[in-house]
């Protein structure tokens, strides 16, 4: 491949469907890397800020899909993906769909079958970083399914983050995703519960974090939780980058994946129940750290 061809591959047109916090980050990053980027969202206003930077909003899903050889979807779940793209008719036929929704391996296999029936080249995947880290050094994206599709569009995928190919089984991406997210949630829950324990003696979250984070927490989480320690003391949990309700969706997928795979389910079910309790207490629009309120108040 010549340098001109390589540059062309890196800057191929891309469509992004779904403009939640993560979809906005994906589209903005692709644009920053020189891709002609088209977007579609059920709520058109979500694209206004990106449009001012050069992203092209499409009026329909069909228009969005036909604008690019590759469409990246970042929606709530697989059922939403089916609903959105079925409305596009045959517009996706002969094109590539990269699905970055969350779900279970069984759902990923069903999606691969759905795509094959419609003549769509399909790659399933998962995003392993929060929206602000998309496109940054250390950001990891997982992919599984067609190796041919992955290799052909690797340069485009690399614009969003380090692309890791896991294998031909389309369910591997979401399986790895749920396993790694379970580790993350279990670690955060342990830290928040421990903070509540020392807090019962009047120790502030900031004071505890100075020891706890350096002693135990991994590099991937430690700096983030250290920065958020004042939030715990203030009891203010902005959900701008992801709400507790969004996290409950991921926890639901973790529990269902454990059930699908015949693995012990008590831990993921408990984490799901804790998040649901926080939502029932009125914290659904706040960040996941709001489960700290559950841990603090359970005794009462």
């Amino acid at each position: 491949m010549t340098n001109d061809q390589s540059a062309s591959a890196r800057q191929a047109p891309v469509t992004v469907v779904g403009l939640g916090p993560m979809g906005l980050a994906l589209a903005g990053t692709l644009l920053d890397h020189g891709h002609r980027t088209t977007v579609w969202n059920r709520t058109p206003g979500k694209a206004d800020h990106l449009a001012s930077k050069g992203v092209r909003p499409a009026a329909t899903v069909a228009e969005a899909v036909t604008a690019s050889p590759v469409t990246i979807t970042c929606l709530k779940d697989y059922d939403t993906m089916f609903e959105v793209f079925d409305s596009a008719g045959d517009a996706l036929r002969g094109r590539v769909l990269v699905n970055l929704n969350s779900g279970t391996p069984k759902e990923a296999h069903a999606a691969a079958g759905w795509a094959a029936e419609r003549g769509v080249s399909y790659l399933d995947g998962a995003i392993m970083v929060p929206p602000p880290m998309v496109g940054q050094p250390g950001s990891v994206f997982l992919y599984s399914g067609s190796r041919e599709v992955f290799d052909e569009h690797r340069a485009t995928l690399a614009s969003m983050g380090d692309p890791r190919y896991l294998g031909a089984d389309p369910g591997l991406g979401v399986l790895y995703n749920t396993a790694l997210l379970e580790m993350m949630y279990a670690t955060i829950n342990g830290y928040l519960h421990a903070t509540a324990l020392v807090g019962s003696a009047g120790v502030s979250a900031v004071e505890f974090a100075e020891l706890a984070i350096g002693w135990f927490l991994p590099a991937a989480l430690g700096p983030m939780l250290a920065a958020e320690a004042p939030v715990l003391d203030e009891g203010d949990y902005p959900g701008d980058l992801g709400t507790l309700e969004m996290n409950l969706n991921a926890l639901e997928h973790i529990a269902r994946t454990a059930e699908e795979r015949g693995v012990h389910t008590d831990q993921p079910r408990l984490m799901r129940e804790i998040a649901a309790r926080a939502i029932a207490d009125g914290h659904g629009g706040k960040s996941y750290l709001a489960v700290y309120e559950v841990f603090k108040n359970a005794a009462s």
Side-chain angles (χ1 to χ4, degrees), residues 81-82 92-93 97 110-123:
M81 182 186 76
F82 298 149
L92 199 57
R93 183 173 296 276
L97 178 65
W114 169 90
E117 291 173 358
R118 289 159 177 77
V120 177
S121 297
Y122 181 79
L123 198 63

Side-chain angles (χ1 to χ4, degrees), residues 193-204 208:
H193 193 272
T195 303
L197 279 175
V198 297
S200 68
V203 179
S204 74
F208 180 60

Side-chain angles (χ1 to χ4, degrees), residues 229-250:
V231 168
L232 302 182
D233 288 330
E234 296 162 5
D236 181 25
Y237 313 97
D240 298 343
L241 298 179
T243 65
L244 192 49
E245 290 178 344
M246 293 169 61
N247 282 273
L248 180 62
N249 188 52

Side-chain angles (χ1 to χ4, degrees), residues 3-244:
N3 290 336
D4 287 344
Q5 288 172 325
S6 178
S8 177
R10 287 196 301 271
Q11 298 175 351
V14 184
T15 289
V16 177
V17 170
L19 295 179
M22 187 60 77
L24 288 170
L26 295 174
T29 298
L30 289 163
L31 181 68
D32 290 343
H33 280 77
H35 297 274
R36 189 173 75 241
T37 306
T38 301
V39 298
W40 180 88
N41 192 71
R42 285 176 169 175
T43 306
K46 285 281 190 75
D48 290 349
H49 178 65
L50 288 174
S52 68
K53 295 184 174 184
V55 166
R56 176 177 174 268
T60 66
V61 181
E63 179 186 335
V65 166
T66 55
S68 312
V70 178
T71 292
I72 296 168
T73 176
C74 189
L75 297 165
K76 178 184 178 182
D77 51 31
Y78 287 88
D79 286 341
T80 304
M81 182 186 76
F82 298 149
E83 179 185 347
V84 165
F85 288 103
D86 279 343
S87 70
D90 289 334
L92 199 57
R93 183 173 296 276
R95 298 178 185 272
V96 173
L97 178 65
V98 180
N99 177 33
L100 298 177
N101 303 338
S102 62
T104 72
K106 185 177 180 179
E107 290 175 322
H109 280 275
W114 169 90
E117 291 173 358
R118 289 159 177 77
V120 177
S121 297
Y122 181 79
L123 198 63
D124 211 278
I127 306 168
M128 304 311 301
V129 294
M133 283 192 66
V134 170
Q136 301 300 313
S139 61
V140 174
F141 283 59
L142 307 178
Y143 298 98
S144 60
S146 169
R147 179 79 204 214
E148 181 180 357
V149 171
F150 176 82
D151 287 342
E152 182 179 356
H153 299 284
R154 181 170 188 151
T156 295
L157 302 177
S159 293
M160 299 182 294
D162 180 11
R164 307 285 185 89
Y165 180 74
L166 301 174
D169 180 345
L172 281 174
V174 291
L175 182 60
Y176 268 71
N177 180 50
T178 52
L180 293 169
L181 287 180
E182 182 176 9
M183 288 175 59
M184 180 194 73
Y185 284 116
T187 301
I188 293 175
N189 279 6
Y191 166 72
L192 293 177
H193 193 272
T195 303
L197 279 175
V198 297
S200 68
V203 179
S204 74
V206 171
E207 182 180 357
F208 180 60
E210 291 180 3
L211 174 61
I213 290 175
W215 176 73
F216 174 73
L217 283 169
L221 289 175
M224 182 272 287
L225 291 176
E228 296 293 340
V231 168
L232 302 182
D233 288 330
E234 296 162 5
D236 181 25
Y237 313 97
D240 298 343
L241 298 179
T243 65
L244 192 49

